[in-house]
Amino acid sequence: MVRTTAGMVRGSREGGLSVFKGIPFAQAPYGEHWLAAPAPARPWDGVREATAFGPRPAQVSIAPGVPEWSAAEGLECLTVNVWTPDEGGSGLPVMVWIYGGAYQAGSADMPEYDGSLLAAEGVVVVTFNYRVGLQGFGHVDGAPANRGFLDQVAALRWVQDNIAGFGGDPGRVTVFGESAGAGSVAALMSMPMARGLFGRAIAQSVPGTFFSAAYARKVSRDLLEGRSAHDCSPEELLAAARRFVARGKGVALPFSPVVDGEVLPETPWEAFADGAGSDIELVVGYNRDEFRMFAAMAPPATEHDLAEVLKEFALPDADVVYRTAHPDAGAVELYNVVLSDWLFRMPSALLADAHAGATYAYELTWAPTELGACHALDVPLTFGTVNGALAGWIIRGAPEAEAVSRQFRAAWTRFAKTGDPGWPAYEPVTASTHVFDVEPSDVRDPEAASRALWSKRGFPVIDE
């Protein structure tokens, strides 16, 4: 049992670890707290059983096999989970995971996010839920912006106030996340209200989409078709989001972080250039073939498709640069490279360039299937969940999976403990990058042509 600021909790013993699940860090974001900033969890009497994950936040299903959300699951979704090898006073490093899901889906109860193997390396692992979709990131008049980020800050404050009771050191907190979780990590490093809540960060495949307040407001109004979000139920918001996506409106993501000038004053690249986050040690990287996972769910790209995306991104001489850098690639592969650059690779690379503090860069190149080193491949490798459902799609029992996973787990936990993942620090001039593969290596600027091309454009806010 552990005493938290809201009351006593009782977890369970699992494989030599103490595991606590479903501990509220804020009140249910419904009813009087609908579209509001998170309110502190209500205290409870006696001992609260902490042996089951809290319910998912309201969300649409964006992946095959994931059930649609229902209020019957429960509404007390703002909960944390803790895996610890030694609760109480031992002062272990703390790793706080932020899940991805395109800012519109995800939850901490996914089996892929089991913290057991990481915690067994001598760290305390924390996962938590935050609001997604319009409830978390829609820009709604009369409601605070970036409510999903406000939830994340509240969870990190819970860590500061409570993690010592679980054996963690609140002065040695590392946040780590993938995809939208990595975008969240970058944003938190930029946000004044998150200052001092963590000292290290790992950003795995940072997305480049950040909305202006005006654009985000327009997207939310289009989605709601004139209705007020304050008058909608969670189910009505989700139905509106599904209709919006089906109509094909908006950019690749209907929801993204909003540069609102208060919660998030600037994009991370702008904030880092101004010195924000320079006191935070950072690991940042991407997977070589990010877009192949998405390409597998769509018809093959054509030369026309390639020309259209190059035109949309307005990159000078892009066609020549890409064809020169990839002389043997056809339209399909070049299209995948361009979209990989736009979505995750170059936002991550330019974040490393912009960060003024200690920075370590990586690229995952291990390709267990025809999907290559695709988006989300790093998730089961990070947690060692290489036999789960996600891994069954993108790893398919490849015999090298456990060895590559050990590389990730050793680097991430070493970084959480020491601030050094085990390879040379990044310098923009040389762009020294660690390559995760069956045989790892350290190389110079592995995507030099793309980095040079995109550094001229950058990732400004989406405003139209």
Side-chain angles (χ1 to χ4, degrees), residues 307-319:
E308 286 297 305
V309 296
L310 291 177
K311 179 181 177 181
E312 180 179 349
F313 297 146
L315 297 166
D317 304 317
D319 187 73

Side-chain angles (χ1 to χ4, degrees), residues 4-97:
T4 73
T5 51
M8 293 289 291
V9 293
R10 177 164 40 219
S12 59
R13 294 290 290 177
E14 299 179 14
L17 300 171
S18 295
V19 181
F20 302 80
K21 299 176 181 177
I23 306 172
F25 68 85
Q27 295 182 44
Y30 301 95
E32 64 179 310
H33 302 297
W34 181 241
L35 301 179
R42 288 193 180 95
W44 56 83
D45 296 324
V47 179
R48 183 184 178 111
E49 297 297 326
T51 56
F53 290 112
R56 295 181 298 166
Q59 59 192 269
V60 296
S61 175
I62 64 170
V66 178
E68 292 290 347
W69 179 87
S70 167
E73 297 180 25
L75 299 179
E76 195 175 42
C77 60
L78 298 182
T79 58
V80 299
N81 318 292
V82 182
W83 288 258
T84 177
D86 184 17
E87 73 274 11
S90 49
L92 297 173
V94 181
M95 299 184 68
V96 182
W97 172 254

Side-chain angles (χ1 to χ4, degrees), residues 131-146:
R131 283 172 285 182
V132 293
L134 194 145
Q135 195 179 353
F137 292 96
H139 202 59
V140 177
D141 292 338
N146 296 304

Side-chain angles (χ1 to χ4, degrees), residues 390-460:
L390 176 61
W393 182 30
I394 58 180
I395 293 179
R396 299 179 201 161
E400 308 92 350
E402 176 54 32
V404 180
S405 176
R406 281 198 299 270
Q407 293 178 35
F408 269 88
R409 300 193 317 260
W412 276 201
T413 54
R414 173 175 169 166
F415 178 70
K417 295 173 183 178
T418 69
D420 177 4
W423 64 80
Y426 182 87
E427 296 289 343
V429 174
T430 60
S432 177
T433 301
H434 182 73
V435 174
F436 284 107
D437 211 322
V438 175
E439 294 295 332
S441 60
D442 299 317
V443 303
R444 177 171 178 158
D445 210 352
E447 308 297 341
S450 291
R451 193 167 72 96
L453 190 64
W454 285 85
S455 63
K456 302 171 185 176
R457 175 190 186 273
F459 290 89

Side-chain angles (χ1 to χ4, degrees), residues 15-296:
L17 300 171
S18 295
V19 181
F20 302 80
K21 299 176 181 177
I23 306 172
F25 68 85
Q27 295 182 44
Y30 301 95
E32 64 179 310
H33 302 297
W34 181 241
L35 301 179
R42 288 193 180 95
W44 56 83
D45 296 324
V47 179
R48 183 184 178 111
E49 297 297 326
T51 56
F53 290 112
R56 295 181 298 166
Q59 59 192 269
V60 296
S61 175
I62 64 170
V66 178
E68 292 290 347
W69 179 87
S70 167
E73 297 180 25
L75 299 179
E76 195 175 42
C77 60
L78 298 182
T79 58
V80 299
N81 318 292
V82 182
W83 288 258
T84 177
D86 184 17
E87 73 274 11
S90 49
L92 297 173
V94 181
M95 299 184 68
V96 182
W97 172 254
I98 306 177
Y99 54 74
Y103 301 109
Q104 58 181 322
S107 58
D109 64 342
M110 290 181 63
E112 282 76 16
Y113 306 148
D114 186 298
S116 300
L117 290 179
L118 286 174
E121 300 288 336
V123 300
V124 177
V125 177
V126 178
T127 67
F128 65 90
N129 286 342
Y130 63 93
R131 283 172 285 182
V132 293
L134 194 145
Q135 195 179 353
F137 292 96
H139 202 59
V140 177
D141 292 338
N146 296 304
R147 293 169 297 280
F149 287 161
L150 297 181
D151 294 344
Q152 294 173 15
V153 169
L156 289 170
R157 286 178 177 153
W158 184 94
V159 169
Q160 288 295 309
D161 293 340
N162 293 281
I163 207 63
F166 297 86
D169 180 353
R172 287 199 292 167
V173 174
T174 299
V175 294
F176 66 130
E178 181 267 349
S179 195
S184 299
V185 168
L188 288 166
M189 292 176 68
S190 312
M191 291 164 50
M193 68 172 57
R195 193 166 295 143
L197 298 179
F198 59 96
R200 293 175 181 143
I202 303 171
Q204 304 174 212
S205 301
V206 181
T209 53
F210 283 72
F211 290 172
S212 71
Y215 183 78
R217 185 178 295 108
K218 179 182 181 300
V219 171
S220 294
R221 287 176 175 172
D222 285 350
L223 184 151
L224 291 167
E225 299 176 324
R227 299 184 63 188
S228 169
H230 296 281
D231 299 328
C232 293
S233 68
E235 291 84 356
E236 288 170 330
L237 288 190
L238 298 182
R242 284 190 288 270
R243 289 195 301 270
F244 181 85
V245 172
R247 293 200 308 267
K249 287 194 174 184
V251 294
L253 299 174
F255 305 107
S256 282
V258 181
V259 179
D260 67 306
E262 183 176 353
V263 176
L264 185 63
E266 300 177 283
T267 70
W269 303 273
E270 293 169 326
F272 284 11
D274 293 337
S278 60
D279 57 334
I280 298 173
E281 296 161 322
L282 172 66
V283 172
V284 59
Y286 50 84
N287 305 346
R288 184 188 59 200
D289 308 308
E290 295 274 9
F291 191 71
R292 282 197 190 178
M293 183 181 76
F294 306 102

